[in-house]
Amino acid sequence: MEKEALTSQVLDALEDVIDPELGIDIVNLGLIYDVDVDDAGNCQINMTTPGCPLSDVLDRDIKEHAGAVEGVNQVTVNLVWYPVWTMDKMSRYAKIALGIGGI
């Protein structure tokens, strides 16, 4: 499968990973910074979890959902802190769902 298509499928799968505190998926929250799948099916996901006490739950769910994508053999999640997460990284959907004004 083409690398871009596989990466897109992983991102689609990650939309099913819901932040347990906010009830919105981690993609729309802007927590996923990068997804890279190599030719061997190794998937590396760079994400941030600013102040989230449940990051271990997210890590488990991310590995489960991304790993379920056909063609992905191994998933590694790297927590990154830069660039710093801001509300600008959230999708319009997430802002509306959280009632954040000034959209």
Side-chain angles (χ1 to χ4, degrees), residues 12-19 24-27 57-59 61-63 65-66:
D12 288 346
L14 293 179
E15 287 182 353
D16 291 333
V17 177
I18 306 299
D19 181 291
I24 298 173
D25 70 89
I26 60 174
V27 174
V57 172
L58 290 177
D59 183 78
D61 290 350
I62 288 167
K63 288 178 179 175
H65 284 81

Side-chain angles (χ1 to χ4, degrees), residues 10 13-14 17 26 43 45 47 55-69 72-78:
V10 170
L14 293 179
V17 177
I26 60 174
C43 178
I45 299 169
M47 70 168 297
S55 59
D56 58 331
V57 172
L58 290 177
D59 183 78
R60 181 199 66 216
D61 290 350
I62 288 167
K63 288 178 179 175
E64 177 182 319
H65 284 81
V69 173
V72 172
N73 297 315
Q74 181 179 345
V75 178
T76 303
V77 178
N78 298 312

Side-chain angles (χ1 to χ4, degrees), residues 31-36 44-48 76-80:
L31 300 179
I32 301 299
Y33 283 5
D34 184 53
V35 174
D36 183 53
Q44 181 171 301
I45 299 169
N46 292 331
M47 70 168 297
T48 191
T76 303
V77 178
N78 298 312
L79 288 179
V80 296

